[in-house]
Amino acid sequence: MIDLGLSKLAIIGVVALIVIGPEKLPKVARMAGTLYGRAQRYLHDVKSEVSREIELDELRNLHKEVHESAQSFKSEVEQSMSSHVDEVEALWDNREHTGSTSSSSSTHAYVSTADIERKARDFRRKKLVRTSSVPAWYKHRNGGKTHVLSGAARVRKFRPGSSKSKTSFF
């Protein structure tokens, strides 16, 4: 870039004063300043646009790599699933052929869907019992807490000599 020191700026100012004249010099200086500001903004816009394009290219490359890895992972999973499905079908076909002649040994290894449904229903029922709230009437009947008190409220409630104590210790 151009190296402008104080001496060079003074020489430019003197030459401009002589050539342009003292009447037009402020107007020309203002115009030069606005043009210089526009040039700086334009250069800044160009730099930011170039950096945006570079980032966009990087994102496109990253998207392509992720898409390719996802496709390869999907194909591996599909191959694995197809091989496992083939194994299960082969075992199922073998069980059907040997299951009719076999005795109770094959029935113990086989779990019916009715058993699975019953276990799932029992699990949901037990979870509902664990997570559901206890009704207020049950709390009143069995002496459970019906509302929550803070520590300060409990201390004030049971402090001897307080005017609002519900129970007397003496």
Side-chain angles (χ1 to χ4, degrees):
M1 186 122 193
I2 300 173
D3 183 30
L4 292 176
L6 186 61
S7 60
K8 290 181 183 178
L9 285 175
I11 293 172
I12 291 172
V14 170
V15 169
L17 183 62
I18 294 171
V19 172
I20 297 172
E23 301 89 29
K24 295 181 182 178
L25 185 63
K27 194 183 281 185
V28 171
R30 211 174 303 128
M31 187 186 325
T34 57
L35 290 175
Y36 181 72
R38 284 183 189 170
Q40 280 185 336
R41 282 191 296 274
Y42 177 73
L43 287 175
H44 177 71
D45 290 343
V46 168
K47 285 180 183 179
S48 65
E49 187 68 28
V50 167
S51 67
R52 256 188 254 128
E53 287 295 325
I54 290 172
E55 289 174 359
L56 189 60
D57 284 343
E58 290 174 359
L59 286 175
R60 284 182 186 141
N61 291 339
L62 181 65
H63 180 263
K64 188 189 325 180
E65 290 174 7
V66 168
H67 187 67
E68 289 172 356
S69 65
Q71 289 295 335
S72 66
F73 180 73
K74 180 181 175 185
S75 64
E76 290 175 9
V77 168
E78 286 175 349
Q79 290 173 354
S80 173
M81 288 299 294
S82 65
S83 66
H84 291 303
V85 166
D86 292 340
E87 290 176 14
V88 168
E89 286 177 351
L91 289 173
W92 184 259
D93 290 341
N94 189 16
R95 178 171 291 170
E96 284 182 353
H97 295 303
T98 60
S100 59
T101 59
S102 174
S103 63
S104 64
S105 64
S106 65
T107 58
H108 290 297
Y110 176 72
V111 178
S112 69
T113 56
D115 290 338
I116 294 172
E117 289 173 358
R118 183 181 47 78
K119 287 180 181 179
R121 190 173 45 247
D122 290 343
F123 176 76
R124 284 192 301 270
R125 190 177 299 137
K126 288 178 184 176
K127 184 177 181 190
L128 180 66
V129 168
R130 283 191 313 253
T131 59
S132 65
S133 63
V134 178
W137 62 267
Y138 185 80
K139 289 179 181 178
H140 286 295
R141 182 187 298 167
N142 296 325
K145 292 181 182 177
T146 56
H147 61 280
V148 178
L149 287 176
S150 68
R154 275 187 257 131
V155 168
R156 181 173 172 89
K157 181 178 175 182
F158 295 111
R159 185 175 22 174
S162 70
S163 61
K164 295 189 176 192
S165 71
K166 294 188 176 186
T167 59
S168 169
F169 292 113
F170 299 97

